[in-house]
Amino acid sequence: MKRRIAITGAGGFLGTALARRLVATGAEVLALSRRDPGLPGVRWQAYDLADESPSAAALEGVDVIVHAAFAMGRGSAALEQLNLTAALRLRDAARAGGRHFVFISSMSAHADAASSYGRAKWRIEAQLDPAHDAVVRPGLIVGPGGLYARLMGTLRRTPVVPVFFGGTQPIQPIALDDLVTALVQIVSRRLSGIFNLATPGHLTIRELYGRMLAAARLRRPLLPLPGGLTAQLLRGCEGLGLQLPVTSENLLGQKQLRAFDTTPCLARLGLTVKSLADVDWDAPVSPP
Ligand SMILES: NC(=O)c1ccc[n+]([C@@H]2O[C@H](COP(=O)([O-])OP(=O)(O)OC[C@H]3O[C@@H](n4cnc5c(N)ncnc54)[C@H](OP(=O)(O)O)[C@@H]3O)[C@@H](O)[C@H]2O)c1
């Protein structure tokens, strides 16, 4: 039977790649996003996280909701609440229609996360039922968009690379196409549970920058800086409305990174992902 999948954030880095792949596999895709992403073969319904929830008419025939949209910005209780409320409304819309709910979380989801982002993801996860819903925690998604492309853009522009909290924190990447393959499996097999998805091995932040600089054929010295103090300064600048290449949220997100054993999740999906050596670390300067 043809799967009908609604994707929030379908105009974003991950959402676009997923929508394209699903269409290529013969699924019907409905983009739930603020703007029409204009993807071939994809229907569009206007949707904002602040909306009540997509109407029953809009979700008619939909059997999976993949929730990839996330309002990012200066961390605040209001933003956390917006993301939580939207996720719960979508979860309820999924339950009401007997639909599979797939939430794109993050490896930084943690009850005591230093970043508002990590806490918001955790609060949403806590309201989901791993017996019915799928919680997907990707590592750093490596590809031509999202956080990775923003990081690469920053490395290209700055003469020195600031390193916070020592730079020995572990980070696990996953190539965009591997993550999309995993999501197609989860959607098409209607799998539930928690999926930690990344390369089985990890790098330190310093090693990550080393790989990215080498891929971009750049030489930049690493400059250790105090993370807590810099985060406070960034928050001050953000309070004044200044747009900076690194946000306080990006920085705090680096504070409590953890490494996960991803092998059980990858085995469940029957998936071998690119190793640290095989990931294509080169990415365009700016997100598309
Ligand atoms: N990139 C990574 O390394 C990474 C790692 C782990 C988890 N994730 C998660 O993966 C998901 C996708 O991330 P991404 O990298 O693809 O980021 P992205 O390109 O910024 O996509 C985020 C999407 O959220 C949408 N969005 C934001 N605020 C919205 C609002 N108020 N109403 C409706 N839509 C809204 C954006 O819509 P517009 O296009 O209209 O702005 C955008 O399409 C996110 O949940 C993110 O937390 C990403």
Side-chain angles (χ1 to χ4, degrees):
M1 199 183 70
K2 201 169 201 178
R3 280 245 178 264
R4 294 187 180 139
I5 300 137
I7 307 175
T8 68
F13 167 49
L14 174 59
T16 298
L18 178 62
R20 285 207 170 106
R21 180 82 72 82
L22 285 168
V23 168
T25 64
E28 279 181 20
V29 176
L30 172 67
L32 296 174
S33 48
R34 292 183 284 192
R35 288 171 288 273
D36 184 350
L39 300 169
V42 173
R43 285 188 303 126
W44 173 64
Q45 170 74 41
Y47 169 73
D48 191 292
L49 290 169
D51 292 348
E52 274 303 306
S53 76
S55 67
L59 293 177
E60 180 70 37
V62 166
D63 42 23
V64 185
I65 299 177
V66 178
H67 182 32
F70 203 81
M72 316 215 194
R74 188 170 183 240
S76 70
L79 201 59
E80 282 182 39
Q81 194 57 45
L82 170 73
N83 280 303
L84 177 65
T85 305
L88 298 189
R89 284 179 177 148
L90 289 164
R91 176 205 64 182
D92 292 346
R95 296 232 169 114
R99 303 177 179 99
H100 185 203
F101 186 59
V102 180
F103 172 58
I104 308 298
S105 186
S106 163
M107 285 189 164
S108 37
H110 193 278
D112 302 317
S115 67
S116 168
Y117 172 82
R119 288 194 300 275
K121 290 283 189 186
W122 177 261
R123 286 176 69 194
I124 296 169
E125 284 193 8
Q127 298 298 323
L128 301 180
D129 178 358
H132 292 99
D133 309 311
V135 170
V136 176
R137 294 179 182 155
L140 176 67
I141 307 170
V142 178
L147 177 59
Y148 187 78
R150 289 197 294 279
L151 263 179
M152 187 60 112
T154 304
L155 291 189
R156 288 180 193 270
R157 284 191 301 271
T158 53
V160 291
V161 180
V163 175
F164 303 102
F165 306 110
T168 55
Q169 311 92 303
I171 188 146
Q172 280 170 287
I174 181 159
L176 175 66
D177 57 336
D178 284 335
L179 176 59
V180 168
T181 302
L183 286 169
V184 170
Q185 285 284 318
I186 290 167
V187 164
S188 56
R189 292 164 56 194
R190 209 181 163 117
L191 298 176
S192 56
I194 296 178
F195 295 87
N196 298 313
L197 296 177
T199 53
H202 70 265
L203 297 162
T204 65
I205 293 267
R206 282 171 174 271
E207 289 166 342
L208 171 72
Y209 290 157
R211 298 231 179 184
M212 293 174 76
L213 290 167
R217 288 172 284 285
L218 295 169
R219 289 165 76 90
R220 301 273 191 274
L222 302 187
L223 176 69
L225 287 176
L229 184 65
T230 311
Q232 277 181 22
L233 287 172
L234 287 175
R235 281 189 80 80
C237 296
E238 288 157 8
L240 296 172
L242 297 177
Q243 296 277 337
L244 301 166
V246 180
T247 66
S248 56
E249 277 290 292
N250 295 151
L251 202 150
L252 290 170
Q254 293 186 12
K255 192 173 177 186
Q256 293 154 317
L257 292 167
R258 296 170 294 165
F260 288 81
D261 178 8
T262 57
T263 43
C265 297
L266 297 174
R268 187 173 170 209
L269 297 173
L271 199 65
T272 306
V273 295
K274 284 180 199 62
S275 68
L276 292 170
D278 294 334
V279 168
D280 179 7
W281 298 98
D282 206 359
V285 176
S286 308

